[in-house]
Amino acid sequence: MDNSPVLVVTALGDVTADLVLAELYGRGVPAVRLDPGIDFPHPARMSARIEQGAFTGDLDTATRHVDLSAVRSVYWRRPTPWGDPRTAETPAQRFGIEQSRAGYTGMLTALPGALHVNHPMRNRAADYKPGQLATAARLGLPVPATLFTNVPEDARKFAADHGPVIYKPVHGVHLAGQDGRNRTIWVRAVEADELDDSIALCPHLFQTCVPKVADIRLAAIGDELFATRIDTDGDHLDWRQDQRFITCAPVAVPGPVREAVRSYLHAFGLTFGAFDFALDSADQWWFLECNPNGQWAFVDESTTRAIACALADTLEKGVPA
């Protein structure tokens, strides 16, 4: 048996990663969970060396020792962010956070011969919505008319010309409320006359609202695609806002979408991607976005199981899918 480990980089309580870990454990594949922003500097420790042209190193967690040069693959999911944005930081604290971010992450991304699903630098490059939408359009996927702008008059004109129009953040962000709990800005419909000059403060994303009959979440692992139709009970523009009202069922992927999705992964150097589409009454799949480390554990049980197995297959092989 190959005893080289799989490293799973994510926060505690990540249900999506838990499913993959359970699949790996069930196969007897050694796997080590690590959350750098929490585990370092205690109880975890790590040293890496570059000598005589080789990268070697050691990682010790509270319960495991890992030879970094032996890691076969890394499942880079959703580790805890470095530092707490709600807490004031001294210069010394900021120095430590930045050195930790660059040092620990840098060592984990330099593992020789290890497959990253996905490499965090690839995730970051693929996380920008302008690049996502431009790439999808170039590959032939239908994309709703979209405007990125901080020019108020351009936003108002776009809303008037392309209505109905929705607004969404250029990048997903959680904002701490006065009670300390995170708040999320959801997709919502907007009218031209409500767009004021505060738009000039930062870029905003406006998009023609697709007259959808359902949503599609598609998980792609290399050439394997798993699509789920998401139907919502009631008129909910953003199904993520309350998942108690959704039902999920497997759906076949049209050939042109299948080819474009594979080309999309290749364009960004990704092994995995979670794609969101809006489905209209003519069965047209409209590309909305691709989260390079998105969730899928909420879909129907058979699809969830298939995705977990496909990811475990890829991580076990330790070679690109």
Side-chain angles (χ1 to χ4, degrees):
M1 177 182 292
D2 185 352
N3 290 320
S4 57
V6 173
L7 191 59
V8 179
V9 181
T10 198
L12 191 65
D14 179 359
V15 176
T16 299
D18 289 345
L19 291 170
V20 178
L21 278 164
E23 182 66 27
L24 291 170
Y25 293 149
R27 300 177 182 197
V29 177
V32 178
R33 188 182 197 129
L34 180 71
D35 187 8
I38 298 297
D39 293 340
F40 291 117
H42 304 291
R45 301 187 302 169
M46 184 162 54
S47 292
R49 296 166 291 279
I50 301 173
E51 297 177 324
Q52 299 179 346
F55 181 101
T56 59
D58 298 282
L59 166 66
D60 290 287
T61 70
T63 58
R64 303 286 294 277
H65 170 77
V66 178
D67 176 358
L68 294 179
S69 64
V71 172
R72 73 173 88 182
S73 57
V74 180
Y75 184 26
W76 198 281
R77 255 290 293 169
R78 293 190 176 179
T80 302
W82 294 98
D84 186 341
R86 297 169 294 184
T87 304
E89 297 165 350
T90 66
Q93 289 172 326
R94 171 48 49 191
F95 178 83
I97 288 171
E98 292 303 325
Q99 299 310 300
S100 296
R101 187 200 317 274
Y104 295 129
T105 302
M107 284 188 276
L108 292 172
T109 59
L111 305 183
L115 168 70
H116 284 78
V117 182
N118 297 300
H119 196 288
M121 303 306 173
R122 300 285 190 183
N123 279 345
R124 176 172 293 186
D127 203 31
Y128 292 107
K129 282 191 172 66
Q132 292 183 14
L133 292 164
T135 300
R138 175 175 59 81
L139 294 172
L141 288 170
V143 174
T146 304
L147 173 69
F148 296 93
T149 189
N150 74 329
V151 182
E153 53 269 31
D154 287 352
R156 287 190 284 266
K157 185 176 188 308
F158 183 84
D161 292 346
H162 293 81
V165 165
I166 57 95
Y167 164 81
K168 64 176 74 172
V170 176
H171 188 270
V173 61
H174 296 291
L175 304 174
Q178 292 183 346
D179 59 1
R181 298 176 62 186
N182 282 337
R183 300 291 189 269
T184 298
I185 299 175
W186 303 104
V187 176
R188 72 178 186 91
V190 294
E191 301 288 343
D193 58 7
E194 67 178 294
L195 303 178
D196 60 30
D197 289 346
S198 64
I199 287 172
L201 296 175
C202 67
H204 300 266
L205 193 168
F206 300 96
Q207 199 168 59
T208 296
C209 185
V210 176
K212 64 183 181 180
V213 297
D215 289 273
I216 303 290
R217 169 59 64 92
L218 185 154
I221 304 99
D223 287 337
E224 295 190 81
L225 307 185
F226 305 91
T228 300
R229 175 175 170 142
I230 303 171
D231 288 284
T232 306
D233 182 13
D235 185 18
H236 298 278
L237 187 61
D238 192 335
W239 61 265
R240 300 169 301 174
Q241 193 165 354
D242 195 335
Q243 294 185 21
R244 294 175 302 172
F245 297 104
I246 68 172
T247 55
C248 300
V251 64
V253 183
V257 174
R258 181 177 295 274
E259 293 306 314
V261 164
R262 289 170 174 167
S263 296
Y264 184 102
L265 292 182
H266 179 75
F268 284 104
L270 302 175
T271 299
F272 172 85
F275 293 76
D276 284 325
F277 295 88
L279 180 68
D280 68 18
S281 59
D283 288 332
Q284 179 80 273
W285 290 37
W286 292 86
F287 175 90
L288 300 179
E289 63 180 303
C290 174
N291 188 328
N293 61 351
Q295 300 183 67
W296 42 266
F298 64 90
V299 303
D300 60 279
E301 186 176 353
S302 62
T303 303
T304 295
R305 170 70 176 167
I307 296 170
C309 288
L311 279 166
D313 287 344
T314 299
L315 294 166
E316 183 178 4
K317 292 174 185 174
V319 293

